[in-house]
Amino acid sequence: MSLPTATRVLSPDELDLLELALGGGSPLPAARLLGHDGGPVTLTDAENTPLAVLDDGGARPVKPLARAAGPHWEPALRRPADDVRAGLAAARDVVAVVVDEPPTRAEAGALPAVVAGADAVLLLVPAARHTPRPGAVGAPALVRAAQALADRLDVTAHVVVVPWPAAGGVGAAGALDRDGVAARYGATRATRLADHRDAATRDRVARLATLWTDEVAALYPEPVAREVVRAATAASRRGAVVLLTGLSGSGKSTVARALAAELDDEGLHTTLLDGDEVRHHLSKGLGFDRASRELNVERIGYVASLVARHGGIALAAPIAPFASGRARVRELAEAAGAAFVLVHVSTPLEVCEARDRKGLYARARRGEIPDFTGISSPYEAPDDADVVVDTSVTDVPDAVATVRAALLSALGA
Ligand SMILES: Nc1ncnc2c1ncn2[C@@H]1O[C@H](COP(=O)(O)OS(=O)(=O)O)[C@@H](OP(=O)(O)O)[C@H]1O
Ligand SMILES: Nc1ncnc2c1ncn2[C@@H]1O[C@H](COP(=O)(O)OP(=O)(O)O)[C@@H](O)[C@H]1O
């Protein structure tokens, strides 16, 4: 298929909307959802991978959207709305219960009455690609909570993950109403579980964050209480820099993103420095000759070490083809007192080339891209990697688990 030359890079929120539209989950047309009123356009992700075409006929997929790991990415749970609706065609009364906040005992107790009489129950968990704010209960945890609620119901209940953009919405997405989306998933009525919370419980939830400091204040005299709070909240954790190196298409971003999501879910704060994204911002305008690559990798190492100096975990995923550049990143990380983990994503060139998500290998083979790593520019395989993962034989969850274990061991956790 020939693609429109006009392109639009979608933000994480807009990727959610595209997934919603392609799966039949949007009551609004895709163009309206994405606020597009021009001519045909190719929609891409931040890495310039063409994902879909948007024209008068609506949105049509070109390539599957990249997926990540965690329960909210389980294909069995994150099903297109059209599939979910088709599976419920015989049901007369389908109630959709939106689970977008951790349910308290009050709502969990109210749930059987809320769904009473329904032939089928959908527990809809909105999951945004956006990283939740630190300390918030994120999508993976909400999916697990919804699953536990579903298991306790007498009537058959399905947990369905809905790619609903982060709170507030983007563009016309603000006009997406809960009931309209729920209806696209086959619901005959919809409700939000947190709306079944009584006033006393709402008040207790609002005060939760200050309970601990209140207790400290009651236990200790001022100014001792202030010291106790300060010591407990100081960034005591050691930071880390994880550098994933490998050929284009080897799986660096996919693994780094999935690992970031998992660590965020565990309450560890991560910062992702993806190769392609860094080149849109920090290294805009740099080329791919050796000197430019070394400079690019050094910049990444510098920013990563700043993040790690303050207890953060920086996940960097550039090709970083030269041993000298990788050694410089190690040096910067160690000078910042951070742990350093070098991950070689060793997927063979033939596999990366066969994947060719962005069509760059084909262009490099035709001589249209000079200095292309693996084709016309060297990749020095590391001999000092802490972890080696070949994604042609290791799936994303296993690759994530291997890197996570190496990271925790480097942190002494
Ligand atoms: N000549 C050439 N060689 C290699 N890669 C190229 C080239 N031109 C563009 N691209 C795209 O740029 C991404 C690699 O950028 P990096 O910053 O990771 O490279 S480096 O570390 O500075 O070597 C790489 O992205 P990933 O596929 O995510 O690795 C490519 O999409
Ligand atoms: N086990 C796997 N781990 C990571 N990526 C995989 C795996 N299997 C298939 N892929 C696919 O390979 C491609 C890797 O692309 P990407 O993560 O952008 O690589 P890089 O960042 O190294 O260029 C993605 O399309 C991804 O879905």
Side-chain angles (χ1 to χ4, degrees), residues 47 247-249 252-253 275-276 279 288 293 296-297 317-321 358 360 369-373:
E47 300 198 310
L247 297 172
S248 173
K252 304 180 296 295
S253 313
D276 250 3
R279 279 182 174 272
F288 287 89
R293 288 180 195 259
N296 175 46
V297 171
I319 295 178
K358 303 171 204 166
L360 295 178
I369 308 178
D371 292 335
F372 196 84
T373 310

Side-chain angles (χ1 to χ4, degrees), residues 98-104 107 124-126 133 137-138 141-143 145-146 149 192-195 197 201-202 205-206:
V98 176
V99 183
D100 59 357
E101 275 191 48
T104 64
E107 299 103 86
L124 301 185
V125 182
R133 70 178 162 73
V137 172
L142 286 177
V143 170
L149 289 177
R192 178 172 173 259
L193 192 54
D195 289 345
R197 191 173 285 179
T201 306
R202 249 199 307 274
V205 169

Side-chain angles (χ1 to χ4, degrees), residues 84-396:
V84 176
R85 194 173 62 246
L88 294 168
R92 201 178 19 83
D93 180 21
V94 180
V95 57
V97 179
V98 176
V99 183
D100 59 357
E101 275 191 48
T104 64
R105 288 179 191 278
E107 299 103 86
L111 187 58
V114 169
V115 305
D119 306 324
V121 176
L122 299 176
L123 290 165
L124 301 185
V125 182
R129 279 174 177 76
H130 255 305
T131 316
R133 70 178 162 73
V137 172
L142 286 177
V143 170
R144 289 189 290 267
Q147 205 108 51
L149 289 177
D151 290 347
R152 274 190 239 127
L153 287 175
D154 288 337
V155 53
T156 320
H158 310 273
V159 173
V160 180
V161 175
V162 180
W164 192 291
V170 281
L176 266 185
D177 70 304
R178 181 190 64 215
D179 293 356
V181 173
R184 305 287 306 183
Y185 279 85
T188 46
R189 55 192 165 109
T191 184
R192 178 172 173 259
L193 192 54
D195 289 345
H196 297 269
R197 191 173 285 179
D198 56 80
T201 306
R202 249 199 307 274
D203 188 45
R204 283 176 69 190
V205 169
R207 282 188 299 111
L208 203 54
T210 60
L211 285 184
W212 181 77
T213 41
D214 288 352
E215 187 65 7
V216 172
L219 265 177
Y220 296 92
E222 270 300 344
V224 184
R226 212 179 319 138
E227 296 300 338
V228 171
V229 171
R230 201 167 68 101
T233 50
S236 56
R237 206 171 6 91
R238 188 176 172 218
V241 174
V242 180
L243 177 64
L244 295 101
T245 168
L247 297 172
S248 173
S250 56
K252 304 180 296 295
S253 313
T254 306
V255 173
R257 266 178 223 290
L259 176 62
E262 199 166 308
L263 296 175
D264 283 332
D265 182 35
E266 290 169 29
L268 295 172
H269 302 172
T270 59
T271 301
L272 199 58
L273 294 161
D274 187 60
D276 250 3
E277 282 184 32
V278 166
R279 279 182 174 272
H280 281 297
H281 304 286
L282 191 64
S283 289
K284 205 182 181 110
L286 272 190
F288 287 89
D289 54 286
R290 181 170 183 138
S292 300
R293 288 180 195 259
E294 292 285 55
L295 180 57
N296 175 46
V297 171
E298 163 141 20
R299 284 179 182 169
I300 291 172
Y302 172 67
V303 174
S305 67
L306 290 183
V307 167
R309 186 184 294 279
H310 298 289
I313 295 177
L315 303 177
I319 295 178
F322 302 113
S324 48
R326 297 187 297 255
R328 181 76 186 118
V329 179
R330 182 189 290 275
E331 211 174 281
L332 286 163
E334 288 175 355
F340 178 76
V341 180
L342 181 63
V343 181
H344 180 199
V345 184
S346 66
T347 315
L349 176 64
E350 313 80 79
V351 176
C352 300
E353 191 165 359
R355 287 178 180 165
D356 207 8
R357 262 179 83 74
K358 303 171 204 166
L360 295 178
Y361 281 99
R363 289 179 51 207
R365 286 282 182 206
R366 291 197 298 269
E368 291 168 17
I369 308 178
D371 292 335
F372 196 84
T373 310
I375 309 291
S376 45
S377 179
Y379 178 79
E380 299 172 1
D383 57 12
D384 58 344
D386 301 284
V387 183
V388 180
V389 279
D390 172 349
T391 68
S392 64
V393 291
T394 310
D395 63 13
V396 179

